[in-house]
């Protein structure tokens, strides 16, 4: 029977006994002895083992005299039992474990001793020593039935008072120890040791809280102390022997507070994890809306941590740690892809979420201030160029673009002069009619740099309403424009040109397909369209004579309908840039760029002049390659990067023109808008608003953003092409052109039905330019992985 008086509570218990009453019930029997004091403690607690059972006797009401007398009688009996028990069973040491003084360790490891050792950084195991393994190591048999060799420094505790322990009894010993662990016991011991300014070994603590330092009690104390993070700290550690010191009261109070906070956070985490699991288990159509995850601030914070982790954008260690804890609790590995899959599983991300939009911080909407400013501009009817606009509303005007274009930047007109020469007009939407340099809308457009066109949608440079209702050219309506008129020589060179603020009335809005059909129909009433086509042919021939390089190839466009759906509809279009309508529009845009460069040079206007050295390209070297995509692909590989100058035109060798300025898309490209600012000021007779140095600074900002958007557009297009390929019937054959050989028989291919480049092994005997058939082996759009195999 072990009895201990500690700090004012009467507790009857022994670690060696088999508990008959569960810990929650035991707490019902704890009592404070009324005004019962010892010399050391203001209150008294003692523990006893009665009839091999555990009890806690705790009435919560005040005792009457008879009840008090009974308690005192019981106490006298118990104290007498203590004295007798200690005479019989006090354990001070064994032959194998000698404790001579605090901090001194003379333990000798021998066969049959029960030890605890560190298996790894997270686990400690019980084991029985078997035999020496070399000079220092020992072979042990652990609680899992595994025999292994351990180093002396792995041993964390040698259980005292045990000889020739049977390893088959480890499980039972461990179970009994765990059943008797009560962390609240440490508080009583801490108070006593703190008051007496003493430290303690596990054995000494066992004597205090259990009334015995027998093996089981000692090991229970060791477990309590080694796992404690509040009341005690390690004072001395020598080998497997450790002395613990009570922490100061202030420190304990702080640690208890932290513990409560941690427990509250753990509870909130578990509740959040349960929310995730519930959402994950729901069918796709029943997932909670994204907005539901932002109602509660703490839930929103955790979701934002997961989102940041998913796109590798954690700004603090706390974000990364929080996401890692959540992923671990959900059974996921701590990777960004795991976070992506989890967010998709709960419905926060759509199945086909575009991670690059998030990673690259692409602006997908406009602020309330910008929308308000745009509305104000639309309501203001003032046009500072109204009295200086040339009326071209009598011209037949063709606007040709892709069918999903939201706004129209440019349109074309043409006529044949009496002397037989061709005159064309390139009409460009007058975006600068609404936006002035330095305004908030202008600054916002500068930051964006360009509109973003993706298969799943468009993120415009300007607010939709301003772009569509104000700036865009509109069929059958008077539209403000900047018109470039050009008279061509018979060889396609420029004879005359002029630049005007204008008003036009677009006649047709055509897709490339419908424009091509009209050209093939050769209708008399559409003679102007035929003249435009003739002008484009002249221009192409003239440019080629100037050294231009034809890089026409296949271009893929994809329109995804309802991209938020798990299986959205994918509409894929493959366009040949050598198509008559596409060639027509392309040539007119190049012509406009050449005229603006010439106009700028003649009027000393700082402009973003674009050039590209030819690098002495000898196109005859590639004459053996088939015309079209195969030859174009080879030529593009050897071209040098484009250059820019902001004071004088730079020859654009690839286009075959002496100078070039992008001017035809001011609603979509900020650099085009800058050119409009400069040119329109000169037309009014004013100085350009920007110097060459200022243009160069703004261009560096814009070009950086344009590169980001170009990367985003390319990766998005690849994703949806691979998704499209993934959905095709198994075994479907695709036609492909061999562009080049990368290594041995691994070839770069152009899949002509989808306009997509990929690689595959091809059989012997095939050459560059040959057409082969391939099948899809595997397609994983999320991993940008498309595996093809030649169909033989």
């Amino acid at each position: 029977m072990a009895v201990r008086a500690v700090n004012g509570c009467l507790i009857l218990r022994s670690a060696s006994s088999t508990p008959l009453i569960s810990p929650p019930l035991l707490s019902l029997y704890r009592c404070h002895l009324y005004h019962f004091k010892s010399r050391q403690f203001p209150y008294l607690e003692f523990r006893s083992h009665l009839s091999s059972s555990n009890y806690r006797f705790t009435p919560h009401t005040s005792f009457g005299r008879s009840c008090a007398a009974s308690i005192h009688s019981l106490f006298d009996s118990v104290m007498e039992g203590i004295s007798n028990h200690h005479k019989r069973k006090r354990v001070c040491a064994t032959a194998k474990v000698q404790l001579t003084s605090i901090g001194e360790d003379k333990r000798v490891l021998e066969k049959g001793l029960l030890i605890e050792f560190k298996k790894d950084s997270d686990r400690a195991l019980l084991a029985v020593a078997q035999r020496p393994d070399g000079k220092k190591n020992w072979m042990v048999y652990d609680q899992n039935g595994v025999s292994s060799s351990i180093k002396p420094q792995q041993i964390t505790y040698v259980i005292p008072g045990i000889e020739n322990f049977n390893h088959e009894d480890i499980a039972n010993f461990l179970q009994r120890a765990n059943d008797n662990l009560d962390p609240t016991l440490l508080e009583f011991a801490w108070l006593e040791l703190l008051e007496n300014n003493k430290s303690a070994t596990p054995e000494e603590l066992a004597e205090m809280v259990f009334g015995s330092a027998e093996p089981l009690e000692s090991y229970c104390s060791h477990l309590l102390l080694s796992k404690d993070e509040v009341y005690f700290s390690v004072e001395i550690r020598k080998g497997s022997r450790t002395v613990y010191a009570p922490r100061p009261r202030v420190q304990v109070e702080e640690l208890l507070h932290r513990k409560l906070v941690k427990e509250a956070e753990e509870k909130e985490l578990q509740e959040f994890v349960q929310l995730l699991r519930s959402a994950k288990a729901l069918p796709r159509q029943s997932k909670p809306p994204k907005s539901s995850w932002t109602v509660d601030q703490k839930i929103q914070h955790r979701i934002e941590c997961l989102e940041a982790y998913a796109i590798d954008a954690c700004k603090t260690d706390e974000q990364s740690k929080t996401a890692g804890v959540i992923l671990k609790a959900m059974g996921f590995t701590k990777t960004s892809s795991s976070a992506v899959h989890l967010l998709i599983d709960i419905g926060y991300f759509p199945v086909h979420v575009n991670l690059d939009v998030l990673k690259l911080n692409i602006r997908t909407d406009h602020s309330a201030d910008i929308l308000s400013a745009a509305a104000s501009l639309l309501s203001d009817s003032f046009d500072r160029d109204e009295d200086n606009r040339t009326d071209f509303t009598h011209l037949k005007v063709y606007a040709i673009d892709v069918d999903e274009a939201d706004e129209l930047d440019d349109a074309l007109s043409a006529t044949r002069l009496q002397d037989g020469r061709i005159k064309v007009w390139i009409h460009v939407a007058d975006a600068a009619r609404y936006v002035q340099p330095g305004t908030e809308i202008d600054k916002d457009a500068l930051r964006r740099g360009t509109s973003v066109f993706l298969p799943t949608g468009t993120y415009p440079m300007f607010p939709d309403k301003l772009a569509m209702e104000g700036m865009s050219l509109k069929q059958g309506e008077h539209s403000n424009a900047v018109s470039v008129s050009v008279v061509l020589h018979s060889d396609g060179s420029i004879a005359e040109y002029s630049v005007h603020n204008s008003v036009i009335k677009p006649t047709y809005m055509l897709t490339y397909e419908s424009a091509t059909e009209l050209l093939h129909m050769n209708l008399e009433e559409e003679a102007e369209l035929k003249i435009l086509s003739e002008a484009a042919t002249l221009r192409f021939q003239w440019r080629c004579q100037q050294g231009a390089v034809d890089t026409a190839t296949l271009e893929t466009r994809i329109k995804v309908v309802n991209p938020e759906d798990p299986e959205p509809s994918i509409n894929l279009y493959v366009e040949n840039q050598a198509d008559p309508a596409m060639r027509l529009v392309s040539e007119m845009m190049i012509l406009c760029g050449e005229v603006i460069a010439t106009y700028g040079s003649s009027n000393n206007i700082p402009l973003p002049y674009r050039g590209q050295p030819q690098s002495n390209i000898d196109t005859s070297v590639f004459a053996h390659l088939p015309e079209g995509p195969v030859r174009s692909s080879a030529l593009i590989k050897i071209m040098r990067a484009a250059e820019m100058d902001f004071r004088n035109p730079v020859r654009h060798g690839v286009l075959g023109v002496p100078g070039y300025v992008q001017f035809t898309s001011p609603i979509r490209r900020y650099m085009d808008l800058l050119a409009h600012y400069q040119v329109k000021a000169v037309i009014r007779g004013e100085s350009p608003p920007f110097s060459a140095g200022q243009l160069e600074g703004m261009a560096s900002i814009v070009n950086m953003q344009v590169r980001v958007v170009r990367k985003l557009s390319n990766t998005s297009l690849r994703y949806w092409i691979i998704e499209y390929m993934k959905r095709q019937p198994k075994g479907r054959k695709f036609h492909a052109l061999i562009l080049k050989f990368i290594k041995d028989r691994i070839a770069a291919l152009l899949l002509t039905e989808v306009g997509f480049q990929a690689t595959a092994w091809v059989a012997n005997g095939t050459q560059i330019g040959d057409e082969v058939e391939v099948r899809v082996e595997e397609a994983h759009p999320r991993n940008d992985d498309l595996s093809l195999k030649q169909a033989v």
Side-chain angles (χ1 to χ4, degrees):
M1 178 174 62
V3 180
R4 184 64 184 169
V6 181
N7 252 1
C9 288
L10 180 61
I11 299 178
L12 296 86
R13 180 176 179 184
S14 169
S16 301
S17 62
T18 303
L20 300 179
I21 304 176
S22 63
L25 291 178
L26 289 175
S27 63
L28 296 175
Y29 296 97
R30 182 174 298 169
C31 74
H32 295 277
L33 292 184
Y34 128 116
H35 291 281
F36 190 89
K37 298 185 179 180
S38 70
R39 293 182 61 185
Q40 291 184 332
F41 309 105
Y43 300 97
L44 183 65
E45 175 184 354
F46 61 91
R47 299 176 180 271
S48 176
H49 178 215
L50 302 176
S51 303
S52 299
S53 300
N54 280 2
Y55 299 95
R56 277 187 189 168
F57 186 70
T58 316
H60 288 279
T61 60
S62 299
F63 293 109
R65 292 184 178 179
S66 60
C67 194
S70 299
I71 292 296
H72 281 280
S73 177
L74 173 62
F75 179 74
D76 293 337
S77 299
V78 170
M79 291 303 292
E80 183 180 355
I82 292 174
S83 178
N84 294 332
H85 179 71
H86 282 185
K87 290 178 181 178
R88 292 194 308 269
K89 296 192 62 178
R90 179 171 301 276
V91 178
C92 297
T94 69
K96 305 304 179 185
V97 182
Q98 304 174 38
L99 304 181
T100 59
S101 64
I102 291 180
E104 185 177 357
D105 191 359
K106 291 189 176 181
R107 306 182 185 209
V108 179
L109 192 60
E110 291 188 1
K111 180 179 178 180
L113 290 186
L114 183 61
I115 64 171
E116 182 190 78
F117 73 97
K118 203 76 169 177
K119 179 68 174 177
D120 50 44
S121 60
D122 297 323
R123 291 184 302 161
L125 302 179
L126 280 180
V128 177
Q130 299 295 310
R131 57 180 172 80
D133 183 31
K135 292 184 178 180
K136 296 183 178 181
N137 294 356
W138 268 78
M139 294 298 297
V140 298
Y141 202 87
D142 66 35
Q143 64 192 55
N144 297 322
V146 177
S147 180
S148 59
S149 177
I150 65 170
K151 299 176 181 179
Q153 55 266 37
Q154 289 180 257
I155 300 173
T156 53
Y157 190 62
V158 178
I159 289 78
I162 289 181
E163 295 181 1
N164 300 317
F165 195 87
N166 188 340
H167 67 80
E168 294 179 355
D169 295 333
I170 294 178
N172 180 53
F173 183 88
L174 188 60
Q175 182 63 50
R176 291 170 64 198
N178 288 327
D179 288 344
N180 284 281
L181 291 182
D182 184 358
T184 60
L185 298 176
L186 287 177
E187 181 179 1
F188 304 122
W190 169 73
L191 285 170
E192 179 178 354
L193 292 171
L194 183 66
E195 184 173 340
N196 291 278
N197 193 28
K198 290 184 178 181
S199 302
T201 64
E203 295 81 7
E204 291 168 339
L205 188 78
E207 184 70 30
M208 291 177 62
V209 298
F210 295 116
S212 169
E214 292 185 10
L216 183 60
E217 282 81 353
S218 296
Y219 184 59
C220 286
S221 295
H222 162 73
L223 290 177
L224 288 171
L225 288 167
S226 62
K227 294 178 180 179
D228 172 56
E229 297 178 349
V230 176
Y231 297 105
F232 292 90
S233 62
V234 174
E235 184 178 60
I236 302 172
R237 175 174 285 138
K238 291 188 177 180
S240 61
R241 175 167 172 73
T242 307
V243 178
Y244 295 87
R247 297 180 189 269
R249 189 179 301 273
V250 174
Q251 187 178 7
V252 168
E253 289 175 353
E254 174 62 24
L255 290 172
L256 283 172
H257 173 71
R258 292 182 187 177
K259 184 179 180 182
L260 289 174
V261 171
K262 184 177 180 181
E263 288 173 352
E265 291 176 347
E266 181 63 27
K267 182 181 178 182
E268 290 176 355
L269 173 63
Q270 292 307 315
E271 291 173 350
F272 178 71
V273 167
Q274 186 55 46
L275 278 177
L276 295 178
R277 287 173 177 158
S278 298
K280 188 172 181 287
L282 292 172
R284 177 61 54 183
Q285 64 275 13
S286 302
K287 302 286 186 187
K290 185 175 182 178
S291 58
S292 67
W293 297 99
T294 60
V295 174
D296 181 272
Q297 188 175 359
K298 292 182 178 180
I299 291 176
Q300 180 181 1
H301 172 69
R302 289 189 170 94
I303 284 290
E304 288 174 349
C305 288
L306 280 173
E307 183 174 358
Y309 199 82
I311 61 174
D312 300 317
C314 289
K315 296 179 181 179
T316 64
D317 291 340
E318 188 272 336
Q319 274 191 319
S320 179
K321 182 180 178 181
T322 298
V325 169
I326 294 169
L327 290 171
K328 183 178 180 181
M330 288 294 294
F332 285 89
T333 55
K334 295 180 183 179
T335 62
S336 58
S337 61
S338 294
V340 172
H341 288 304
L342 175 57
L343 291 170
I344 290 174
D345 288 345
I346 65 173
Y348 184 81
F349 278 170
V351 173
H352 297 288
V353 58
N354 192 329
L355 296 175
D356 286 332
V357 170
L358 302 174
K359 289 180 179 180
L360 299 174
N361 197 26
I362 299 298
R363 295 179 174 89
T364 58
D365 53 20
H366 292 83
S367 69
D369 289 342
I370 295 299
L371 293 175
S372 176
S376 297
L377 289 174
L378 284 172
S379 63
D380 183 3
S381 60
F382 175 73
D383 175 13
R384 64 187 303 190
D385 297 312
E386 184 175 4
D387 297 333
N388 192 32
R389 290 192 182 276
T390 304
D391 188 350
F392 287 136
T393 56
H394 62 283
L395 295 175
K396 183 179 285 188
V397 178
Y398 298 90
I400 306 173
D401 209 330
V402 295
D403 57 357
E404 64 265 23
D406 294 321
E407 73 281 334
L408 291 174
D409 282 291
D410 51 73
L412 306 170
S413 300
T415 190
R416 193 179 300 277
L417 302 177
Q418 290 183 353
D419 60 7
R421 294 183 301 174
I422 294 175
K423 183 175 184 178
V424 299
W425 289 265
I426 301 99
H427 311 289
V428 184
D430 189 0
R433 145 77 171 82
Y434 291 94
V435 182
Q436 299 301 314
T439 61
E440 288 305 312
I441 286 188
D442 171 70
K443 292 176 183 177
D444 186 68
L446 170 61
R447 286 189 291 267
R448 293 171 184 271
T450 179
S451 293
V452 182
F453 298 95
L454 302 178
T456 51
T458 300
Y459 307 124
M461 186 169 72
F462 292 110
D464 280 332
K465 196 169 185 180
L466 177 61
M468 294 290 293
E469 296 182 14
M471 299 174 175
S472 179
L473 304 177
K474 293 173 282 292
Q475 184 179 7
E477 298 183 22
H478 286 198
S479 303
N480 293 330
V482 177
S483 295
V484 174
S485 63
V486 188
V487 176
L488 298 177
H489 286 303
S490 58
D491 64 352
S493 61
I494 297 173
E496 305 170 15
Y497 71 86
S498 61
V499 183
H500 310 270
N501 288 310
S502 65
V503 178
I504 64 171
K505 188 177 181 180
T507 312
Y508 297 113
M509 295 178 64
L510 304 174
T511 64
Y512 288 111
E513 293 82 358
S514 58
T516 297
E517 289 178 7
L518 281 176
L519 286 171
H520 288 157
M521 293 170 68
N522 197 23
L523 300 174
E524 288 186 13
E525 56 269 31
E526 302 302 335
E528 293 87 350
L529 187 62
K530 186 173 179 60
I531 293 172
L532 281 169
S533 180
E534 184 180 339
T537 300
L538 289 175
R539 284 292 301 169
F540 178 68
Q541 292 172 349
W542 179 82
R543 289 194 306 107
C544 288
Q545 291 171 2
Q546 308 308 308
V549 179
D550 183 15
T551 58
T553 185
L554 301 181
E555 186 176 64
T556 306
R557 288 188 298 109
I558 283 183
K559 183 72 174 178
V560 180
V561 182
N562 299 322
E564 299 288 317
D565 292 348
E567 293 288 332
S569 176
I570 303 175
N571 299 318
L572 184 143
Y573 312 90
V574 179
E575 297 164 339
N576 190 336
Q577 292 176 341
D579 174 86
M582 294 198 78
R583 179 78 78 182
L584 185 160
V585 173
S586 175
E587 288 299 331
M588 293 302 103
M589 300 304 105
I590 295 171
L591 175 59
C592 180
E594 182 184 353
V595 169
I596 294 299
T598 305
Y599 181 79
S601 177
S602 299
N603 292 277
N604 296 316
I605 307 174
L607 287 170
Y609 298 101
R610 293 178 180 270
Q612 190 171 31
Q614 283 176 295
S615 303
N616 298 319
I617 296 175
D618 183 3
T619 56
S620 63
V621 175
F622 304 94
H624 66 288
L625 298 176
E627 288 188 10
V630 176
R631 186 181 296 180
S632 295
S633 175
L635 289 168
I636 290 172
K637 297 295 183 184
I638 63 172
M639 289 181 182
R640 291 172 59 184
E643 298 176 353
M644 292 190 74
D645 193 289
F646 300 93
R647 293 172 176 82
N648 301 295
V650 179
R651 173 169 174 76
H652 203 300
V654 174
L655 295 181
V657 295
Y660 180 70
V661 174
Q662 286 187 331
F663 193 77
T664 57
S665 295
I667 304 177
R668 307 177 188 182
R669 297 189 301 235
Y670 189 79
M671 293 306 296
D672 293 43
L673 181 65
L674 279 179
H676 276 243
Y677 288 154
Q678 302 290 89
V679 169
K680 283 175 63 65
V682 172
I683 293 175
R684 294 190 204 103
E686 302 172 357
S687 298
F690 300 111
S691 66
Q694 289 173 315
L695 286 180
E696 186 172 4
M698 289 185 284
S700 65
I701 297 172
V702 173
N703 290 336
M704 183 182 302
Q705 185 65 14
V706 167
R707 285 192 291 270
V708 169
V709 171
R710 185 180 296 119
K711 175 184 177 182
L712 170 64
S713 299
N714 291 338
T715 56
S716 300
L717 185 63
R718 282 184 61 86
Y719 177 95
W720 286 106
I721 291 176
I722 296 174
E723 176 67 20
Y724 175 85
M725 301 285 283
K726 176 183 174 182
R727 297 188 189 183
Q728 299 310 299
K730 189 176 179 63
R732 175 184 167 180
K733 298 178 181 179
F734 292 88
H735 296 283
L737 291 172
I738 299 178
L739 300 178
K740 65 176 182 177
F741 287 97
I742 300 172
K743 182 180 180 181
D744 298 331
R745 303 306 298 175
I746 299 176
L749 306 175
L750 175 64
L751 279 64
T752 55
E753 287 118 319
V754 293
F756 185 70
Q757 291 191 22
T759 59
W761 184 92
V762 295
N764 289 326
T766 52
Q767 303 296 326
I768 294 176
D770 288 352
E771 184 176 288
V772 295
E773 289 185 327
V774 294
R775 291 192 180 96
V776 176
E777 290 287 292
E778 292 185 22
H780 304 287
R782 184 65 66 195
N783 300 328
D784 191 29
D785 179 27
L786 178 66
S787 177
L788 303 175
K789 184 176 182 180
Q790 185 177 5
V792 180

